[in-house]
């Protein structure tokens, strides 16, 4: 969208009236002009709210550090018809809280009390992060760029009621996630990492996190209505917008999540307060005489610090760096269950804005708004040739495969409870791929340069180009989105793909079901075989011989028990667990694991032990020629089925010691 002012015509005085200049000079809207800004947001904000069924939104726009525009749209509360007030209505800003945490950390970096490249265990007083990769400790730089290598985990991060809140220091100590990548090798967004930084801030300053942020950031900037943690005063709750979910054709008010991880996501703020925070960063650390960061420190914080590939956006020290059109942007989003926020700064333009919505559709609305904002105020120059013109693509087979997000759980039951969504990349010819799965519709992409793909239909998206990263051996190992520097999609080995893991489980089930024929065989043998003709039924001469004679029976009893236990677990117990909402919520919220879940996940452990014992019988089964050859082969296949189930249960972390 473009806004054109009335064209001006100029006459050349030397040429006189006979030489008219008829060229038109379009004048672009100016983000420092309140009227231009109002004209844009008064169209785009309501349009996004209508498109995504959002009751309310709050906006503030900053130019050269100054507030240019602030407005509330729609309702903070539908029932009372309370309008959104950009100066008073508090919105939960979710992960935008992290920017305050990182700003506080950079203050300590500036003072010399924190070194970005020092082992974080140097600063932690009560616990330490295991050095999973010797000689590669986790540093503050890794935490700020989300490249520490932590697996993702949501368990115990939330509580059901505010009365259940406990110290995030305790949370960090009790819930240290496994390091699944060497620090500094790939990004994976981590709420734990930001919370750990808050603990470190307290340990080096001896000041509680909320008090530190209030005294060193909020008060100096005049952010008088911002709340660091959940409001303790009842009147503050009335200032907070209600959160909604659009269900059954109307918006229903729902309680927002309550998180333990204060430094990662508990701040609530009005739009005008957020404008001051934007202005401070825009002016490189100082606003209205209040110096929060020195210029050099602010520039360091805003500069690229880590990228999964040189061709994609970089993580800054806390901010996410990306490109929309021709503009470099530093940004961060924030999401809770019902609130979805976005903070944007365009450093070279000295422009930025904050927006927050109080309904789930806000996550899409904010992306549309950002794209429209850049296109409206800073439209890029049209190129004569489309991207990739003149580039000769080679085979796309090297990119084909299955990919899944690096932001996932790897080592606990949570991996099964919330499995990663897998994307399928298929080669459709030279330089053409199709991507499906992972919540995406089937979409075709065309290669424009080696390993870089754009949508074949020319559609521009907030995510930008798709870039395939190659490791030092030249093998493709990551799929990256150009404008998502805090995450990537790792290539999945064949044995971790959904078809293979499901195939192992289903094949194992079918094999183990065949043990149900064993009791039938015993019955048939007793009915149709006489004692005189059945050599196996001869009376043993002594107790030792009796025990040896019973070994084949014991083998089948133990193996059959293992098979039935596995079948019961997979077909009955596990579906019951996954269908028990109360049990899963107890696992999610309670600091102690529910006994029922522990007991359920002991079942495959018992089955696995019996399976190992059953496998030990394979030697005498074949050495002593127990049963007929056909029965021996079947027994061996059943053992294989048991170990298929052990592999499957281990892959999905379905043993109690993985809780």
């Amino acid at each position: 969208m473009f806004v054109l002012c009335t064209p001006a015509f100029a006459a050349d005085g030397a040429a006189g009236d006979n030489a008219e200049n008829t060229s038109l000079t379009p004048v672009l809207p100016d983000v420092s002009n309140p009227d231009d800004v109002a004209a844009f947001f008064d169209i785009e904000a309501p349009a996004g709210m209508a498109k995504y069924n959002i009751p309310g939104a709050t906006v503030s726009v900053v130019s050269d550090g100054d507030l240019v525009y602030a407005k509330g749209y729609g309702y903070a509360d539908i029932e009372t018809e309370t309008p959104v007030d950009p100066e008073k209505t508090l919105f939960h800003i979710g992960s935008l809280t992290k920017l305050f945490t990182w700003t506080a950390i950079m203050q300590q970096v500036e003072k010399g009390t924190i070194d970005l490249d020092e082992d974080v265990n140097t600063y932690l007083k009560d616990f330490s992060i295991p050095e999973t990769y010797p000689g590669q400790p986790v540093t503050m730089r890794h935490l700020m760029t989300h490249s520490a290598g932590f697996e993702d985990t949501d368990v115990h991060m939330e509580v059901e009621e505010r009365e259940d809140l406990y110290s995030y220091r305790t949370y960090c100590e009790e819930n240290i996630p496994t390091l699944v990548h060497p620090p500094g090798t790939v990004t994976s967004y981590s709420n734990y990492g930001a919370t750990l930084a808050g603990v470190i801030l307290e340990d080096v300053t001896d000041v509680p996190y909320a008090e530190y942020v209030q005294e060193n950031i909020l008060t100096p900037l005049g952010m008088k209505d911002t709340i660091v943690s959940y409001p303790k005063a009842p009147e503050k709750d009335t200032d907070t917008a209600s959160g909604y979910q659009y269900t059954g054709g109307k918006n229903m008010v729902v309680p927002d999540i309550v998180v333990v991880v204060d430094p990662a996501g508990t701040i609530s703020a009005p739009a005008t307060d957020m404008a001051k925070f934007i202005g401070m960063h825009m002016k490189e650390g100082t606003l209205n005489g209040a110096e929060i960061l020195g210029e050099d420190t602010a520039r360091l914080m805003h500069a690229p610090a880590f990228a999964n590939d040189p061709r994609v956006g970089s993580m800054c020290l806390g901010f996410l760096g990306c490109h929309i059109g021709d503009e470099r942007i530093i940004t961060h989003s924030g999401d809770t269950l019902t609130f979805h926020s976005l903070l944007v700064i365009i450093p070279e333009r000295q422009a930025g804005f904050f927006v927050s919505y109080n309904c789930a559709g806000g996550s899409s609305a904010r992306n549309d708004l950002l794209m429209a904002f850049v296109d409206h105020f800073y439209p890029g120059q049209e190129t004569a040739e489309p991207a990739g013109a003149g580039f000769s693509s080679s085979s796309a087979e090297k990119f084909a495969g299955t990919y899944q997000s690096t932001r996932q759980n790897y080592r606990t039951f949570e991996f099964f409870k919330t499995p990663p969504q897998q994307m399928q990349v298929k080669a459709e010819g030279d330089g053409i791929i199709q991507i499906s799965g992972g919540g995406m519709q089937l979409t075709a992409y065309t290669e424009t340069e080696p390993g870089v793909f754009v949508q074949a239909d020319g559609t521009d998206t907030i995510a930008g180009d798709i870039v395939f990263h190659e490791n030092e051996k030249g093998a493709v190992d990551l799929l990256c989105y150009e404008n998502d520097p805090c995450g990537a999609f790792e290539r999945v080995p064949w044995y971790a793909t959904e078809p293979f893991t499901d195939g192992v489980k289903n094949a194992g089930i079918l094999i183990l079901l065949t043990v149900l024929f064993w009791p039938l065989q015993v019955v048939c043998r007793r009915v149709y075989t006489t004692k005189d003709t059945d050599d196996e039924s001869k009376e043993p001469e002594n107790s030792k011989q009796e025990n040896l004679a019973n070994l084949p029976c014991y083998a089948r009893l133990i193996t059959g028990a293992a098979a039935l236990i596995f079948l019961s677990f997979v077909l009955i117990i596990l579906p019951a667990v996954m269908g028990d909402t109360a049990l899963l919520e107890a696992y999610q919220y309670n600091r102690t694991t529910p006994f029922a879940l522990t007991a359920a996940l002991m079942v495959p452990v018992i089955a696995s032990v019996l399976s190992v014992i059953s496998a030990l019988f394979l030697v005498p089964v074949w050495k002593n020629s127990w049963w007929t050859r056909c029965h021996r082969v079947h027994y061996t296949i059943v053992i294989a089925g048991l170990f298929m189930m052990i592999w499957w249960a281990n892959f999905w972390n379905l043993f109690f010691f993985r809780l």
Side-chain angles (χ1 to χ4, degrees):
M1 183 188 301
F2 296 86
V3 176
L4 301 180
C5 295
T6 304
F9 293 84
D12 188 339
D17 292 339
N18 293 329
E20 287 189 343
N21 184 343
T22 58
S23 64
L24 299 178
T25 304
V27 179
L28 294 175
D30 185 357
V31 78
S32 65
N33 184 327
D35 292 336
D36 287 352
V37 174
F40 170 78
F41 279 97
D42 283 348
I43 293 174
E44 295 296 336
M49 293 166 63
K51 181 178 179 180
Y52 298 107
N53 303 299
I54 302 169
T58 189
V59 173
S60 57
V61 182
V62 179
S63 177
D64 198 31
D66 297 325
L67 177 65
V68 173
Y69 179 78
K71 187 173 181 178
Y73 295 90
Y75 293 112
D77 188 281
I78 295 176
E79 184 178 359
T80 62
E81 296 186 349
T82 304
V84 174
D85 186 331
E87 296 183 359
K88 296 181 179 179
T89 306
L90 302 176
F91 278 65
H92 298 166
I93 65 171
S95 287
L96 289 183
T97 301
K98 293 179 177 69
L99 292 180
F100 292 81
T101 301
W102 303 135
T103 299
I105 290 294
M106 291 304 290
Q107 289 179 329
Q108 296 306 307
V109 171
E110 188 171 82
K111 291 180 179 179
T113 56
I114 292 178
D115 185 325
L116 289 172
D117 299 306
E118 183 64 54
D119 186 344
V120 294
N121 290 326
T122 304
Y123 309 110
L124 291 169
K125 293 180 178 179
D126 298 332
F127 60 95
S128 61
I129 303 301
E131 192 170 307
T132 305
Y133 300 90
Q136 300 181 69
V138 174
T139 68
M140 184 58 71
R141 187 184 300 274
H142 295 143
L143 298 183
M144 297 184 77
T145 57
H146 295 281
S147 63
F150 291 127
E151 68 174 341
D152 192 44
T153 177
D154 289 334
V155 173
H156 307 151
M157 193 178 74
E158 303 172 22
V159 293
E160 295 185 272
E161 303 292 342
R162 293 185 188 180
E163 292 75 17
D164 300 326
L165 285 168
Y166 62 100
S167 165
Y168 51 83
R169 177 182 293 272
T170 301
Y171 164 81
C172 283
E173 184 173 4
E174 294 180 349
N175 297 276
I176 300 174
T178 302
L179 282 170
V180 292
H181 297 105
T185 57
V186 66
T187 59
S188 176
Y189 191 82
S190 176
N191 286 306
Y192 181 90
T195 309
L196 184 66
V199 174
I200 292 172
L201 180 69
E202 289 188 345
D203 283 346
V204 300
T205 63
D206 291 323
V207 178
Y209 171 81
E211 182 180 334
Y212 182 95
V213 171
Q214 183 68 52
E215 293 179 355
N216 293 276
I217 300 176
L218 303 184
T219 298
L221 289 177
M223 298 176 67
K224 56 185 178 60
D225 293 310
T226 297
I227 300 172
V228 178
S229 190
Y230 296 103
K232 295 180 175 59
E235 63 271 15
K236 286 297 183 180
D237 266 331
T238 63
D239 293 335
T240 304
S242 298
Y244 295 87
Q245 287 186 341
Y246 189 73
T247 306
K250 62 179 181 179
N251 276 300
M252 305 293 294
V253 63
V254 295
D256 204 6
I257 57 173
V258 181
V259 296
V260 175
V261 289
D262 293 35
T266 60
I267 287 180
S268 299
T272 49
D273 271 11
M274 291 303 296
K276 296 173 183 177
F277 186 74
I278 291 174
M280 177 272 292
H281 274 286
M282 189 178 291
K283 301 306 291 182
E284 298 183 333
T286 300
L287 184 70
N288 299 327
E291 182 177 307
I292 306 301
L293 297 172
E295 283 189 18
D296 290 342
T297 305
R299 289 172 184 166
L300 176 63
M301 187 175 180
H302 302 158
F306 181 87
N308 291 314
D309 187 281
R311 300 164 294 180
V312 302
S314 295
M315 279 301 306
C316 307
L317 292 176
F319 284 93
L320 284 65
C322 62
H323 285 82
I324 305 293
D326 296 333
E327 306 301 320
R328 178 182 180 263
I329 295 170
I330 58 173
T331 182
H332 207 293
S333 59
D335 300 281
T336 67
L337 180 64
T338 56
F339 290 85
H340 301 275
S341 308
L342 182 67
L343 181 151
V344 173
I345 299 175
I346 309 178
E348 292 187 1
R349 302 288 188 174
Q350 285 290 287
F353 69 88
F354 164 79
V355 64
S356 188
Y357 302 89
N358 63 346
C359 190
S363 58
S364 297
R366 70 187 179 200
N367 293 340
D368 292 353
L369 186 66
L370 173 56
M371 296 281 284
F373 180 87
V374 174
D375 184 59
H376 183 73
F377 288 99
Y378 310 109
Q381 296 182 352
E382 294 186 5
T383 57
E385 295 182 337
F391 171 70
S392 179
S393 300
S394 58
S395 173
E397 286 293 338
K398 67 184 296 186
F399 308 113
T402 303
Y403 298 80
Q404 64 190 23
S405 174
T406 56
R407 187 184 181 185
Q408 57 160 304
N409 188 269
Y410 290 79
R411 299 288 189 266
T412 73
F413 173 70
E414 191 175 353
F415 178 57
F416 181 81
K417 174 178 172 287
T418 312
Q421 291 185 316
Q422 296 187 341
M423 295 194 306
Q424 308 298 326
V425 177
K426 295 182 179 179
E428 295 294 329
D430 290 348
I432 299 175
I433 59 173
Q434 286 189 335
I435 300 181
S436 61
M440 293 179 57
Q441 294 181 340
L442 181 66
T443 307
Y445 291 82
T446 302
E447 192 173 19
T448 58
E449 58 181 278
V452 179
F453 289 78
V454 300
Q455 282 195 202
D457 62 5
T459 302
D460 289 329
T461 66
I462 192 74
D465 299 343
I466 285 179
V467 176
F468 289 92
H469 176 268
E470 297 182 9
N471 60 25
E472 63 277 1
K473 296 180 180 179
V476 174
D477 60 351
L478 294 175
L479 182 158
C480 308
Y481 282 100
E482 178 188 12
N483 289 331
D484 182 15
C486 65
F489 294 81
E490 58 190 347
R491 198 168 196 165
V492 178
W494 58 269
Y495 58 81
T497 60
E498 291 174 3
F500 183 82
T501 57
D502 288 346
V504 169
K505 180 190 74 170
N506 294 332
I509 290 173
L510 290 175
I511 291 172
L512 298 190
L513 283 171
T514 64
V515 303
L516 297 177
F517 290 104
W518 288 352
L520 183 61
Q521 290 174 353
V522 172
V523 172
C524 290
R525 187 163 55 246
R526 289 186 176 182
V527 171
Y528 295 107
T529 304
T530 65
K531 186 173 182 179
D532 292 336
T533 59
D534 186 0
D535 292 338
E536 291 183 357
S537 63
K538 293 181 179 179
E539 292 292 333
E541 296 181 3
N542 53 52
S543 59
K544 182 176 182 180
Q545 287 183 335
E546 182 178 0
N547 290 333
L548 291 174
N550 288 332
L551 282 179
C553 180
Y554 295 152
R556 277 184 165 170
L557 281 174
I558 294 172
T559 304
L564 291 176
I565 292 171
F566 261 132
L567 289 171
S568 299
F569 176 73
V570 175
L571 300 178
I572 300 173
I573 297 174
L574 194 56
V577 167
M578 298 307 294
D580 190 336
T581 302
L583 180 63
L584 294 179
E585 287 183 350
Y587 169 71
Q588 179 77 23
Y589 298 123
N590 296 352
R591 291 169 61 188
T592 56
T593 303
F595 175 77
L597 182 58
T598 301
L601 297 192
M602 287 183 68
V603 173
V605 175
I606 295 170
S608 298
V609 172
L610 293 176
S611 298
V612 172
I613 296 173
S614 299
L616 296 177
F617 279 108
L618 279 173
V619 174
V621 162
W622 286 96
K623 183 177 181 180
N624 299 327
S625 297
W626 291 351
W627 319 305
T628 65
R629 179 178 292 274
C630 181
H631 287 167
R632 294 198 300 272
V633 170
H634 178 246
Y635 183 86
T636 304
I637 292 173
V638 170
I639 298 300
L642 289 172
F643 277 83
M644 291 167 71
M645 298 310 298
I646 292 174
W647 181 90
W648 181 81
N650 180 68
F651 178 85
W652 287 108
N653 304 322
L654 295 176
F655 298 132
F656 74 91
F657 48 80
R658 295 284 188 84
L659 285 167

